[in-house]
Amino acid sequence: MIGTRIKSAVKKGTVAAAFLLAAATSALTPIQSARAADSGTIKVGILHSLSGTMAISETTLKDVMLMLIEDQNKKGGLLGKKLEPVVVDPASDWPLFAEKARELIQVQKVAAVFGCWTSVSRKSVLPVFAELNNILFYPVQYEGEESQRNIFYTGAAPNQQAIPAVDYLMKEEKVKRWVLAGTDYVYPRTTNKILEAYLKSKGVAEADIMINYTPFGHSDWQTIVASIKKFGSAGKKTAVVSTINGDANVPFYKELGNQGIKAQDIPVVAFSVGEEELAGIDTKPLIGHLAAWNYFMSVKDPGNADFIKKWQAFTKNPKRVSNDPMEAHYIGFNMWVKAVEKAGTTDPDKVIDALIGIAVPNLTGGYSAMLPNHHITKPVLIGEIQGDGQFEVVSKTPGLVAGDEWSDYLPGSKDLISDWRAPMSCGNFDVKAGKCLGAAAK
Amino acid sequence: MTPAVRTALFGGASIWLLGLIAALAVIVPAMNLLMPPDSAFHLSAFAVTLIGKYLCYALLALSVDLIWGYCGILSLCHGAFFGLGGYAMGMYLMREIGDRGVYGNPDLPDFMVFLNWKELPWYWYGFDNFGFAMLMAVVAPGLLALVFGALAFRSRVTGVYFSIITQALTFALMLAFFRNDMGFGGNNGMTDFKDILGFSVQSDGTRCAIFVITAIMLAAGFLVCRAVVHSKLGKILISIRDAESRTRFVGYRVEHYKLFVWVLSACIAGVAGALYVPQVGIINPSEFEPANSIEAVIAVAVGGRGTLVGGIIGGVLVNAVKTFFTGTLPDFWLFALGAMFILVTLFLPKGVIGLFKKTGGIGVKLPGLGKLASGAAKEAKP
Amino acid sequence: MKRIFAYLLPVLALTAVLSAPIPAAAQAGDTQAEPATESPPESASEPAKPSLSALLTRLGDASFDEKAAIVDEIAASGDPQAVPLLRALSGGNLYVRASDGLAAVSKGEEGSETYTSLTGDPVEAEGLEKVRVNNMLRRKVTAAVSRLGLLSPKADVRLTSARAAFLEHDEEMLPLVEEALAKETDSGVKTALQQVRAAIALTSSGVTDDAVVAAIDVIKDRGDEDARNLIKPFTESENAKIKAAAVRAANAINTSLGYWAAAQNAWYGLSLGSVLLLAAVGLAITMGVMGVINMAHGEMVMLGAYTTYVVQDVMHSIAPALDTVSLVVAVPMAFLVAGLAGVAIERSIIRFLYGRPLETLLATWGLSLVLQQTVRTIFGPTNKTVISPSWMSGAFEIGHLTVTYNRLWIIIFSLAVLGLMMALLRYTRFGLQTRAVTQNRRMAAAMGIRTDLVDAMTFGFGSGIAGIAGVALSQLDNVSPNLGQSYIIDSFMVVVFGGVGNLWGTLVGSMTLGIANKFLEPYAGAVLGKIFVLVFIILFIQRRPRGLFALKGRALEG
């Protein structure tokens, strides 16, 4: 009895060992194969979720990158080599983002990575990019409060989206009362903190600001929409500043429409609702609600028309829409190409230095330039939702707005600046203390 | 050590598994630290942390196997215990950053500075001490398991009902940790760690050290579980699994045994979480997602339930498959993973271990898993 | 005096035109130009007014502030074309030719629109420029149109206008309101106009104390949020008489609004409960009857929602006129699609796992991943638009209770589905067999019931019901591959709380959880409220380990 048991156990042990080894080798397979890969191409990493909750937004960006790379290859590639996209799926799983970033850099040896959508995914990969010294282009509007040497922020900082939108509402719509509604995560929290301070600096009373947070994917908006309605009936012109994230927007707007809140009564200005999101909503009841972005598909510009044509041909869908983060990737990719050409190499250190000061055409008829703080200059557009799911631009900043990474309206960051050019080379320089803060100081 | 104990701990597959873990603990760091980077035998830091991560998942799966395989309790909240352990470690690592955060604030973590927190909340006290943090990594999940288990087992919540309220537990915790007002960093969680006990978390040496510790903890966890299931206690657990009412009628206080092994299992999961965080570099509320807990259970089912070794194999295998497919088949990996879960449940009720052996279980006669749930219930409740 | 004239003239002139009902805000779809019926004599004798086309030439490239001024001039111009013009303007369908000020209204989808002049003649697209509007202009137009509507011969138009006027309560409107009030015969409109007058009295200066007190009393009867806000400043009045009246009125309003708020919360709770009920009721069947924990249940809901999308799309391309009923057609289709998918799943996977409830959980979890990715591959990861038919859009009010049509329909729908299911289980042969199998599988088999067939049908039935739920949810939520996942946990909570396999339990469970959630939400916030509910369920299960309505079955006693 005992003999057979031992025998069986031994047998099992062998199996176990075999499997553990198999598992370990299977994980290492890409490592070995990558070693063998030829070096006649320049690899570009694409780190966008293709499954899970964020796939809804990020899959499009992966396709845009594939299109841009294909386009560049048609033009003859870069430095005489072809570009090779390397697509991985971090599956909306934040630790997996860090793992996949490491795989792209260390195993696939990519020259640069384009990716991430949520702040948490960026925060997750940030130490990896710093440690392995590579380049990430981050294409989404975000809360600011960050400037890292290896990351280039091609989306909007709060001052390139939120503050101009509030200015517009104050001036054009004479709004006196504000609802700041957002999903409970860091982007809305920070943006609302900044807006609160900004509104108070403009003389708005505490009682005229209502702040509300909801969980991700919130789908039952009855109570909140009703309380917005109540808040808006106090006799002063009221507007909602929405930092509600992706999935929760559709039920939110549906409830707004159904409870009869029209844009002319209580306009909603959103920072996370673009053409892609509207593609899932019947926009007829929403005409007049607003969004602030740096790009709208409806912008009349030859460059934009060309981009949309290529995009719709690439996706083989004549109705496919384009949106702001896509433009950010367009700008970021062209900047990277230009910087690599300028540096004559894909070596990250040289490209990082070369990137600052590079200016490329954006899709709204101007040029965007990379600033020393690794943010870019952009125009700010305010658009009204139209019945066909597009936006009509009702306001555009006269010039370009420079991305401000450290908000002047937060007590913790008002004294900080960022400049990655030598000799400062610091992402968080305290002008009051006259020194670079944090880890960089040691 | 008596021969019986020796067999219980090191008999059969056990010694092989322990040998393998020991081999990994030696070879992996050696290949990373000693081999020159251009050598074919060099293992990158990526591979070291990746294998280290698998070992953490293996430890988590082991804890699930202990409670599900040997006590018949299907927990859908081990991801929460794992996450709590991870948060304890994450809080220590945040405190270690000190004034090296981007705002240079010596008292508060960055996420508190820019959300205008004025002082450190009380529950953060003590986490700058490594020992205290590690204690909490075990105590926090253990305590939660104790309270939850004491309530549930005393009121005899079993089977599906138990599974689903464990799911409610982890879901509630996820919502709670998502709240920025909780002071755990909300959705962003904690990241950008600098060092651990004074050693940089990014250096190869630290990575290898953490890897070795993970391997040791996995081996230790395995030995503890094995000691439990091979003791008299273990036999009672199995009898509870197979015929709970009968065991109770024989005179055992079933809920006490259940509670003990439940808390033990939660503590092991907490350790796994604490080891996981410095290796992946982030802890955030998505660890509490019900899907993660289900995945841990599936890992056990894939490896082979009620065998301990199977849990470890499943933990490694499922996550390795995930790594492999998300890299090579980014558009289709969910098909592969989903199909694997279906096929394993349908055709390999005893997991991959069952492929090689007709009667599953090491030293334990496991009845056909299929009849387990209904058969046991029907026997127990005439 | 001149100002009053400015209001009265166009009012008189446009009475005829206004006989058509005017919506509170003109929307994009509703912009048909109306031919002018008659030319009023007054406008001819007023040569000082600038002509409409002169105004229109300036409209093209004016700033929004200038446009607002032009809107005022258009309203005051007395031109019979002013109202159709303004409505087209606020709907964003007004085009102007800069060269001669010709106005045109667009019709049809973008890209294939046609243009007609205000008198209905077709116009060439050449040279037309869209007149851009923003919210401020839309408000301006709505206000202008509604002021003109106070003297409309139609009572409902007057009522709408009076309500709009109440929100505006501009001192300058007083003469107009007085005139309208003098002529008014309809009691409802009369009350509304009196409230307008009272609101004006409360907000303008130089009103006697007695008039203020009288006005407060009038406003008090209105009893809503707007009334409370109007009265609020007077609760701190220095005049004791006014203060007393205001405090009394405010208290009365507060009390009544408190009851209404509770009623509103209960309604929200019922509506949330009905959504939970729809999502969970199919699960209650499969779990109760078969002891199967179907983690892919949410994906059946998703399949139903996508079926709705496809049905709507196909019907739109075949018969666009039937758009409003496509939702009705989608119900049986969704039942079929999800039901067939359910039968297929049962035959290919679940039947091998009977009696192993915990393992069906794992296999169906794998299945849910596959289904999600399949849908994502076929339809793409982005949301799909499901349009709400007109009978499901908007809201009506009962007292101070806002009832949205879509929620109302979904409550009715969910109860109908539940009733149907109960009837089916109670009165049909299939139901009888299902109940028999639920209670004692072996005995049922011994009595000659083909339990495997019953299983397949039951699973298909439960899945089909989930598909129907998807049709309803497509009206509230995203139609995306993740739709199902967001409901699966809530569904499990409802089923376990109510008691597995008991439809009454599911009903009571879903409504209780829905109402509890909605009463907690205003105090605790959406997130904490949900956490409290979850903790409550966990504790409740300790008290009643088999849920609210425990069933004497054996299937799930693993």
Side-chain angles (χ1 to χ4, degrees):
Chain A
M1 188 59 201
I2 286 179
T4 49
R5 198 177 286 174
I6 288 174
K7 233 163 101 190
S8 82
V10 168
K11 226 171 170 183
K12 266 195 229 329
T14 333
V15 172
F19 264 95
L20 204 59
L21 278 177
T25 28
S26 84
L28 298 181
T29 322
I31 302 167
Q32 309 304 343
S33 64
R35 281 243 169 72
D38 66 310
S39 56
T41 58
I42 297 174
K43 288 186 172 179
V44 179
I46 302 174
L47 186 65
H48 283 299
S49 300
L50 311 179
S51 55
T53 48
M54 291 312 296
I56 184 169
S57 306
E58 292 192 60
T59 312
T60 315
L61 293 185
K62 177 210 71 174
D63 292 336
V64 168
M65 282 312 300
L66 291 178
M67 176 183 89
L68 291 171
I69 290 170
E70 188 186 288
D71 217 41
Q72 187 66 31
N73 280 337
K74 274 189 205 147
K75 289 186 213 155
L78 186 57
L79 301 179
K81 293 177 181 175
K82 288 275 174 219
L83 294 177
E84 181 191 342
V86 183
V87 180
V88 291
D89 180 12
S92 314
D93 175 349
W94 320 128
L96 201 57
F97 264 92
E99 180 187 316
K100 289 290 159 196
R102 198 172 276 280
E103 181 182 330
L104 284 174
I105 302 166
Q106 222 165 23
V107 179
Q108 302 283 359
K109 312 263 185 239
V110 296
V113 178
F114 292 79
C116 297
W117 182 289
T118 57
S119 281
V120 55
S121 64
R122 189 189 69 250
K123 293 273 185 207
S124 171
V125 301
L126 185 144
V128 177
F129 278 88
E131 180 196 339
L132 303 176
N133 194 24
N134 205 286
I135 304 171
L136 172 72
F137 284 87
Y138 176 67
V140 184
Q141 89 281 13
Y142 84 119
E143 67 278 2
E145 300 300 300
E146 190 183 299
S147 176
Q148 215 281 334
R149 180 170 174 271
N150 302 85
I151 300 182
F152 290 86
Y153 307 82
T154 51
N159 73 317
Q160 291 174 307
Q161 206 183 11
I163 289 182
V166 166
D167 281 340
Y168 170 83
L169 287 174
M170 274 200 243
K171 189 170 153 284
E172 294 291 337
E173 303 245 1
K174 321 276 187 283
V175 172
K176 300 277 188 300
R177 226 164 133 80
W178 303 84
V179 180
L180 309 180
T183 304
D184 189 2
Y185 73 108
V186 69
Y187 168 65
R189 286 262 175 190
T190 319
T191 305
N192 288 346
K193 279 260 182 309
I194 292 171
L195 286 182
E196 200 184 344
Y198 180 73
L199 288 173
K200 281 180 181 164
S201 79
K202 295 276 168 184
V204 177
E206 178 98 46
D208 285 335
I209 302 174
M210 165 178 155
I211 299 180
N212 180 285
Y213 291 107
T214 38
F216 281 95
H218 190 65
S219 61
D220 194 290
W221 288 93
Q222 300 179 92
T223 314
I224 291 159
V225 168
S227 68
I228 289 173
K229 209 170 162 184
K230 188 175 158 191
F231 188 78
S233 68
K236 287 184 190 165
K237 181 67 193 161
T238 306
V240 179
V241 178
S242 154
T243 39
I244 295 162
N245 177 271
D247 260 8
N249 274 302
V250 173
F252 173 63
Y253 280 109
K254 281 186 176 167
E255 191 66 39
L256 274 183
N258 280 325
Q259 291 207 18
I261 297 185
K262 294 202 188 63
Q264 39 180 308
D265 310 324
I266 302 179
V268 177
V269 60
F271 305 146
S272 310
V273 177
E275 290 84 348
E276 282 267 298
E277 286 76 18
L278 288 187
I281 318 178
D282 174 17
T283 54
K284 297 242 163 49
L286 306 180
I287 293 172
H289 286 306
L290 303 148
W293 289 105
N294 310 110
Y295 166 86
F296 286 113
M297 186 180 177
S298 62
V299 169
K300 300 273 181 288
D301 174 69
N304 187 29
D306 185 48
F307 177 78
I308 294 169
K309 210 175 90 196
K310 272 187 195 156
W311 170 237
Q312 290 175 339
F314 182 81
T315 53
K316 300 184 184 69
N317 178 355
K319 284 185 177 169
R320 196 64 190 261
V321 295
S322 59
N323 66 7
D324 182 277
M326 289 167 64
E327 191 220 15
H329 259 345
Y330 172 85
I331 294 171
F333 180 74
N334 287 337
M335 281 182 166
W336 177 73
V337 166
K338 233 173 152 182
V340 169
E341 278 165 353
K342 187 173 146 195
T345 166
T346 56
D347 178 60
D349 282 330
K350 297 213 171 71
V351 176
I352 288 172
D353 287 339
L355 265 164
I356 294 175
I358 294 261
V360 297
N362 56 32
L363 295 176
T364 47
Y367 274 81
S368 284
M370 181 58 73
L371 301 168
N373 62 5
H374 285 190
H375 291 60
I376 66 173
T377 55
K378 302 179 135 197
V380 184
L381 313 174
I382 315 284
E384 276 190 6
I385 297 177
Q386 301 294 303
D388 58 356
Q390 288 289 325
F391 291 89
E392 165 128 359
V393 178
V394 290
S395 159
K396 182 177 179 178
T397 49
L400 295 173
V401 181
D404 181 18
E405 68 297 0
W406 301 109
S407 175
D408 303 337
Y409 296 96
L410 293 178
S413 66
K414 62 177 189 291
D415 297 328
L416 297 181
I417 59 161
S418 161
D419 190 335
W420 285 106
R421 291 170 303 188
M424 191 187 268
S425 278
C426 176
N428 42 346
F429 188 86
D430 189 332
V431 283
K432 230 176 213 168
K435 63 169 185 167
C436 193
L437 295 180
K442 315 269 152 146
Chain B
M1 200 181 271
T2 66
V5 173
R6 204 178 301 137
T7 320
L9 289 184
F10 301 110
S14 175
I15 192 73
W16 286 92
L17 184 82
L18 291 169
L20 184 75
I21 295 173
L24 275 179
V26 174
I27 295 169
V28 167
M31 280 170 80
N32 176 247
L33 294 176
L34 302 180
M35 292 291 164
D38 49 353
S39 150
F41 293 101
H42 176 75
L43 264 188
S44 61
F46 165 68
V48 175
T49 46
L50 196 63
I51 301 176
K53 194 178 97 168
Y54 295 160
L55 296 188
C56 293
Y57 282 127
L59 189 55
L60 172 64
L62 178 76
S63 72
V64 175
D65 195 16
L66 176 66
I67 189 80
W68 185 38
Y70 289 91
C71 202
I73 298 171
L74 180 62
S75 156
L76 295 182
C77 69
H78 264 56
F81 300 139
F82 184 81
L84 284 176
Y87 264 95
M89 176 60 106
M91 286 161 85
Y92 162 72
L93 292 170
M94 285 312 273
R95 300 304 295 147
E96 270 291 285
I97 294 174
D99 64 354
R100 286 168 297 169
V102 291
Y103 298 103
N105 189 319
D107 300 321
L108 296 179
D110 283 346
F111 66 83
M112 291 191 186
V113 177
F114 77 74
L115 291 178
N116 291 349
W117 288 64
K118 294 286 172 262
E119 56 183 40
L120 203 64
W122 61 267
Y123 44 81
W124 274 75
Y125 292 157
F127 276 94
D128 23 19
N129 181 313
F130 182 76
F132 177 77
M134 289 311 95
L135 189 67
M136 290 315 288
V138 180
V139 169
L143 205 64
L144 177 69
L146 184 72
V147 173
F148 186 85
L151 280 171
F153 297 138
R154 204 198 48 201
S155 7
R156 298 191 192 169
V157 181
T158 52
V160 173
Y161 289 88
F162 185 84
S163 300
I164 288 177
I165 62 167
T166 55
Q167 194 171 42
L169 176 73
T170 184
F171 192 59
L173 278 171
M174 179 183 84
L175 290 175
F177 275 83
F178 262 128
R179 298 183 69 234
N180 276 285
D181 297 336
M182 285 275 289
F184 292 110
N187 178 45
N188 273 16
M190 301 168 195
T191 176
D192 205 8
F193 306 128
K194 305 286 188 229
D195 50 28
I196 179 166
L197 289 172
F199 301 101
S200 164
V201 287
Q202 295 186 343
S203 78
D204 283 349
T206 319
R207 266 187 229 287
C208 288
I210 296 174
F211 179 87
V212 171
I213 294 169
T214 310
I216 293 172
M217 292 313 286
L218 178 61
F222 176 71
L223 286 176
V224 168
C225 291
R226 227 179 129 89
V228 168
V229 300
H230 282 267
S231 64
K232 184 176 166 233
L233 173 69
K235 301 279 179 276
I236 296 165
L237 289 179
I238 291 164
S239 78
I240 290 172
R241 177 191 72 188
D242 292 345
E244 182 170 334
S245 302
R246 220 179 275 186
T247 314
R248 186 176 284 122
F249 294 147
V250 170
Y252 290 102
R253 294 291 297 271
V254 167
E255 55 272 23
H256 292 178
Y257 291 95
K258 275 179 155 178
L259 191 60
F260 169 75
V261 73
W262 170 248
V263 172
L264 176 67
S265 167
C267 292
I268 294 174
V271 172
L275 290 164
Y276 172 83
V277 169
Q279 304 195 57
V280 299
I282 182 170
I283 175 77
N284 102 324
S286 61
E287 296 304 332
F288 293 99
E289 267 175 28
N292 284 19
S293 299
I294 294 177
E295 229 161 70
V297 173
I298 286 179
V300 175
V302 167
R305 179 187 161 194
T307 58
L308 294 185
V309 179
I312 292 176
I313 293 174
V316 172
L317 190 65
V318 167
N319 287 289
V321 165
K322 205 168 156 183
T323 306
F324 182 71
F325 282 129
T326 47
T328 51
L329 290 174
D331 286 311
F332 299 102
W333 71 274
L334 274 179
F335 288 124
L337 201 69
M340 181 171 113
F341 297 162
I342 297 172
L343 295 178
V344 165
T345 358
L346 280 184
F347 301 113
L348 297 176
K350 293 179 196 119
V352 288
I353 278 209
L355 270 181
F356 300 89
K357 188 83 182 106
K358 279 233 162 56
T359 51
I362 298 169
V364 174
K365 190 169 163 289
L366 199 67
L369 277 173
K371 298 205 183 76
L372 185 70
S374 58
K378 266 163 208 155
E379 259 183 90
K381 297 184 182 71
Chain C
M1 196 55 204
K2 205 179 158 216
R3 189 174 270 151
I4 299 168
F5 242 86
Y7 284 119
L8 287 184
L9 271 180
V11 166
L12 294 172
L14 290 165
T15 316
V17 181
L18 284 167
S19 52
I22 299 169
Q27 286 195 351
D30 175 27
T31 50
Q32 202 170 348
E34 286 164 29
T37 42
E38 57 184 280
S39 197
E42 283 92 338
S43 64
S45 65
E46 196 79 42
K49 296 250 180 271
S51 77
L52 204 56
S53 57
L55 290 170
L56 285 169
T57 37
R58 282 160 49 204
L59 200 55
D61 42 25
S63 75
F64 287 124
D65 283 334
E66 288 161 12
K67 280 179 188 164
I70 298 173
V71 165
D72 280 340
E73 285 188 59
I74 291 176
S77 72
D79 195 299
Q81 291 176 345
V83 166
L85 183 83
L86 289 178
R87 284 160 79 184
L89 176 68
S90 92
N93 297 298
L94 186 69
Y95 289 72
V96 169
R97 194 152 68 199
S99 53
D100 58 355
L102 173 82
V105 178
S106 71
K107 244 196 289 185
E109 301 257 318
E110 178 146 331
S112 61
E113 59 265 86
T114 54
Y115 303 93
T116 50
S117 75
L118 294 171
T119 45
D121 308 320
V123 175
E124 284 293 308
E126 185 67 35
L128 288 178
E129 276 285 325
K130 184 170 180 173
V131 183
R132 302 206 305 196
V133 287
N134 66 357
N135 288 321
M136 189 193 61
L137 269 180
R138 286 193 194 94
R139 269 196 301 281
K140 194 105 199 157
V141 171
T142 311
V145 171
S146 79
R147 283 183 186 190
L148 301 182
L150 277 179
L151 294 173
S152 159
K154 289 214 167 182
D156 55 343
V157 176
R158 293 199 302 274
L159 190 62
T160 320
S161 296
R163 284 193 179 143
F166 178 82
L167 295 178
E168 238 185 318
H169 56 76
D170 191 339
E171 205 176 333
E172 290 171 4
M173 293 166 67
L174 193 57
L176 182 64
V177 172
E178 294 285 9
E179 188 196 338
L181 203 51
K183 284 189 196 166
E184 190 55 64
T185 47
D186 185 289
S187 68
V189 183
K190 202 161 196 163
T191 319
L193 284 170
Q194 280 163 349
Q195 287 170 357
V196 179
R197 191 170 60 181
I200 294 173
L202 288 184
T203 45
S204 41
S205 49
V207 185
T208 62
D209 291 350
D210 287 341
V212 169
V213 172
I216 286 176
D217 280 343
V218 173
I219 298 286
K220 186 184 83 179
D221 293 338
R222 204 184 147 90
D224 64 356
E225 208 61 55
D226 297 318
R228 176 152 71 177
N229 288 324
L230 273 173
I231 292 173
K232 207 174 172 191
F234 294 95
T235 53
E236 275 140 38
S237 169
E238 281 160 20
N239 184 319
K241 214 167 104 190
I242 294 179
K243 186 173 180 177
V247 168
R248 202 168 53 237
N251 287 343
I253 293 175
N254 281 340
T255 317
S256 96
L257 276 186
Y259 291 125
W260 282 112
Q264 185 80 66
N265 273 339
W267 167 258
Y268 290 154
L270 283 182
S271 139
L272 177 63
S274 69
V275 170
L276 293 176
L277 175 65
L278 272 175
V281 75
L283 197 68
I285 292 271
T286 48
M287 218 161 139
V289 176
M290 310 166 68
V292 166
I293 305 178
N294 184 11
M295 292 299 283
H297 182 78
E299 275 56 46
M300 297 294 124
V301 177
M302 175 192 73
L303 281 186
Y306 271 92
T307 310
T308 317
Y309 163 72
V310 172
V311 166
Q312 179 192 277
D313 225 35
V314 169
M315 282 186 63
H316 186 76
S317 58
I318 299 173
L322 293 178
D323 273 355
T324 47
V325 295
S326 72
L327 211 59
V328 181
V329 179
V331 173
M333 289 301 290
F335 182 83
L336 274 182
V337 170
L340 288 178
V343 172
I345 292 167
E346 201 276 342
R347 286 289 90 186
S348 59
I349 298 175
I350 294 181
R351 72 177 163 129
F352 301 109
L353 298 171
Y354 280 122
R356 297 151 67 184
L358 300 180
E359 269 143 41
T360 54
L361 186 154
L362 305 182
T364 50
W365 173 255
L367 186 70
S368 79
L369 296 183
V370 172
L371 282 173
Q372 271 175 43
Q373 194 63 13
T374 309
V375 168
R376 197 172 278 135
T377 312
I378 297 173
F379 292 96
T382 46
N383 290 334
K384 294 290 166 207
T385 318
V386 173
I387 293 169
S388 299
S390 50
W391 46 272
M392 275 190 82
S393 311
F396 64 94
E397 301 211 338
I398 305 172
H400 299 298
L401 191 72
T402 309
V403 176
T404 50
Y405 282 104
N406 65 345
R407 298 278 177 180
L408 179 68
W409 280 114
I410 285 172
I411 292 180
I412 294 171
F413 183 66
S414 66
L415 293 177
V417 168
L418 184 76
L420 215 67
M421 281 176 74
M422 283 181 165
L424 210 69
L425 287 178
R426 187 90 184 75
Y427 299 111
T428 64
R429 188 168 175 78
F430 164 69
L432 184 71
Q433 293 183 344
T434 308
R435 281 182 291 137
V437 173
T438 314
Q439 282 168 14
N440 194 329
R441 174 175 295 271
R442 281 193 216 166
M443 190 63 85
M447 299 300 282
I449 294 175
R450 286 191 52 192
T451 56
D452 58 336
L453 195 69
V454 170
D455 284 337
M457 295 315 289
T458 314
F459 198 80
F461 183 61
S463 301
I465 296 291
I468 291 184
V471 180
L473 288 181
S474 74
Q475 290 300 313
L476 298 176
D477 210 334
N478 298 283
V479 179
S480 79
N482 303 329
L483 171 69
Q485 283 204 313
S486 41
Y487 287 94
I488 186 72
I489 294 189
D490 286 338
S491 309
F492 274 124
M493 296 309 145
V494 166
V495 172
V496 167
F497 175 65
V500 172
N502 186 313
L503 291 184
W504 286 112
T506 312
L507 175 67
V508 176
S510 55
M511 291 302 165
T512 313
L513 295 186
I515 291 175
N517 225 322
K518 283 294 157 188
F519 271 91
L520 281 170
E521 197 178 315
Y523 307 105
V527 192
L528 266 188
K530 191 149 191 187
I531 295 174
F532 286 146
V533 169
L534 287 169
V535 171
F536 164 72
I537 294 174
I538 293 174
L539 294 177
F540 180 84
I541 293 297
Q542 317 296 339
R543 295 292 308 160
R544 289 185 74 101
R546 289 281 176 271
L548 209 52
F549 292 74
L551 187 77
K552 290 193 173 53
R554 303 178 167 199
L556 271 179
E557 296 171 357

